[in-house]
């Protein structure tokens, strides 16, 4: 199996593509893919809040990625450093599935984050992906319910 590697800003477009094609309920159009890739490239730079591990495809591009967004939270006994990550995307191109790529990329990301002081890890899981996350130490929290809110004035191309 190819080794996962730390993503660079040059990987942003491929990470955005994998997220769009494999995670989002409605894939992004070219304009939104470009917007996401441009923002992610900035966030993957040194000092940015994004961290990702990727596995290269032998055919070019990426076979798999695991992306986390790091943010500060108020500390508590279970996360004393006050540094958290939301796992934003774990995706594998369909032609590379069932080879352990997602698990390898996510395990490398979690290891990297732990060595950099992150003590709280959060993600949203589908039924199909939950077993992978459970293998890596994630557990459901019955006290939490995912809720979302979007301001009513949000426009498709608002800044």
């Amino acid at each position: 199996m190819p080794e996962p590697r730390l993503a660079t800003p040059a990987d942003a477009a491929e990470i955005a593509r994998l997220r769009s094609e494999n995670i989002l309920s409605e894939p992004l159009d070219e304009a939104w893919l470009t917007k996401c890739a441009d923002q992610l490239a900035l966030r993957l730079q040194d000092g940015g809040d994004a961290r990702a591990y990727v596995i290269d495809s032998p055919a070019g591009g990426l076979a798999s990625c695991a992306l986390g967004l790091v943010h500060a939270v108020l500390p508590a006994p279970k996360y004393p450093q006050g540094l958290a990550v939301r796992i934003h995307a774990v995706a594998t191109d369909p032609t590379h599935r069932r080879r352990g790529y997602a698990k390898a990329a996510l395990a490398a990301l979690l290891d990297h984050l732990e060595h950099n002081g992150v003590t709280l890890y959060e993600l949203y899981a589908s039924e199909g992906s939950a077993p992978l996350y459970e293998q890596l130490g994630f557990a459901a929290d019955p006290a939490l319910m995912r809720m979302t809110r979007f301001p009513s004035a949000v426009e498709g191309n608002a800044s």
Side-chain angles (χ1 to χ4, degrees):
M1 175 188 337
E3 282 293 312
R5 65 172 175 79
L6 187 62
T8 69
D11 295 309
E14 274 292 287
I15 294 170
R17 178 191 67 80
L18 284 170
R19 174 180 169 258
S20 175
E21 292 177 0
N22 298 286
I23 297 173
L24 299 180
S25 58
E26 295 179 25
L28 301 173
D29 64 23
E30 287 301 316
W32 275 104
L33 275 172
T34 299
K35 185 174 187 167
C36 287
D38 290 348
Q39 185 186 102
L40 182 56
L42 293 173
R43 295 171 82 173
L44 284 169
Q45 291 179 9
D46 288 341
D49 68 330
R51 306 288 183 283
Y53 270 78
V54 297
I55 294 180
D56 294 305
S57 170
L62 296 179
S64 189
C65 70
L67 168 67
L69 303 175
V70 179
H71 59 278
V73 296
L74 294 174
K78 287 188 176 181
Y79 39 95
Q81 301 302 321
L83 197 54
V85 67
R86 177 174 179 251
I87 303 301
H88 190 70
V90 177
T92 301
D93 191 87
T95 60
H96 295 94
R97 290 191 181 149
R98 300 283 181 225
R99 299 179 191 178
Y101 289 4
K103 184 176 182 179
L106 183 55
L109 176 63
L110 296 175
D111 186 57
H112 173 88
L113 293 167
E114 187 172 332
H115 282 93
N116 284 278
V118 173
T119 54
L120 176 62
Y121 302 82
E122 302 169 311
L123 59 75
Y124 298 110
S126 66
E127 271 188 52
S129 64
L132 166 66
Y133 301 131
E134 289 167 351
Q135 289 176 13
L136 294 171
F138 287 88
D141 187 338
L144 301 177
M145 172 186 10
R146 179 177 187 225
M147 299 175 76
T148 57
R149 179 183 184 272
F150 299 99
S152 59
V154 171
E155 297 278 331
N157 48 358
S159 297

